[in-house]
Amino acid sequence: MSDYEELAARADAAGKKFDFLSDCMRQLEGRMAEVAQLKMHIINYSKTRDVYSEYKRSRQKNKFRAEHVEEIEKHEAAKAAFDALKGKPIPKVAQLSAEYAALLAEKKAVYEEYKVVRKKMIDYQAAKNNIDKILGLTPPEQEKVKPKETQL
């Protein structure tokens, strides 16, 4: 195997590893957002439960709703989020906090590796691109050539 082929293989492998770690980070961040959202809904539900009960018992629902619109909307949003669980038990806030902490720790570990791999990928790709230009392997449409200025 020639040195150029080895450089190209390393650049490709570094790019694939970077893509994998990027996807992993996106998945972790997505799950962290879901956990934080569910935790917020559980807290809002417990804080607004009494107001919502009064609203349901009220004979003047429109007036009561106008006075407590924010609490009622938070409660209804929480109920909708719980309905989206489709019969799964609603987790405890402590469970969600522990899961979030574990996800955060995993994300930090992945991010450390991500930084190292990103630097390697950039270095390998820069070296490969430089060699491609020296050897004339870069397609002409990819090169950005400044147009010559016309003289008057």
Side-chain angles (χ1 to χ4, degrees):
M1 181 185 287
S2 72
D3 291 337
Y4 178 79
E5 290 171 342
E6 184 178 338
L7 176 64
R10 286 185 181 189
D12 186 49
K16 288 178 182 177
K17 178 85 173 188
F18 176 78
D19 291 341
F20 172 77
L21 291 173
S22 295
D23 289 342
C24 188
M25 294 260 299
R26 264 186 244 109
Q27 289 173 354
L28 288 169
E29 289 169 348
R31 181 62 188 150
M32 288 170 68
E34 289 172 6
V35 168
Q37 184 84 14
L38 186 55
K39 185 177 170 181
M40 179 198 66
H41 284 306
I42 292 169
I43 291 168
N44 285 343
Y45 185 87
S46 65
K47 285 182 178 180
T48 60
R49 185 179 1 202
D50 294 336
V51 173
Y52 195 77
S53 295
E54 288 179 44
Y55 167 67
K56 285 299 192 181
R57 289 190 308 254
S58 175
R59 292 179 186 225
Q60 298 176 336
K61 290 197 185 316
N62 290 337
K63 181 181 177 189
F64 191 89
R65 186 176 185 92
E67 292 171 359
H68 301 280
V69 68
E70 187 176 331
E71 294 98 335
I72 292 170
E73 286 177 353
K74 283 182 180 179
H75 191 84
E76 290 172 344
K79 285 176 66 173
F82 300 155
D83 291 343
L85 293 175
K86 297 181 181 169
K88 293 180 188 173
I90 299 169
K92 305 282 184 211
V93 173
Q95 291 172 325
L96 292 174
S97 295
E99 181 181 355
Y100 190 90
L103 290 168
L104 185 60
E106 185 179 352
K107 180 185 170 197
K108 284 180 181 180
V110 170
Y111 184 70
E112 290 304 315
E113 185 179 0
Y114 169 89
K115 288 191 306 187
V116 171
V117 169
R118 181 177 181 269
K119 182 169 179 1
K120 281 183 183 179
M121 178 194 70
I122 290 171
D123 291 345
Y124 283 135
Q125 287 180 347
K128 183 181 176 301
N129 288 340
N130 289 339
I131 291 173
D132 285 348
K133 285 181 183 178
I134 290 169
L135 296 176
L137 299 174
T138 305
E141 58 271 354
Q142 287 183 353
E143 290 185 20
K144 297 180 180 175
V145 179
K146 293 182 181 178
K148 294 182 181 179
E149 293 181 19
T150 57
Q151 296 180 0
L152 296 175

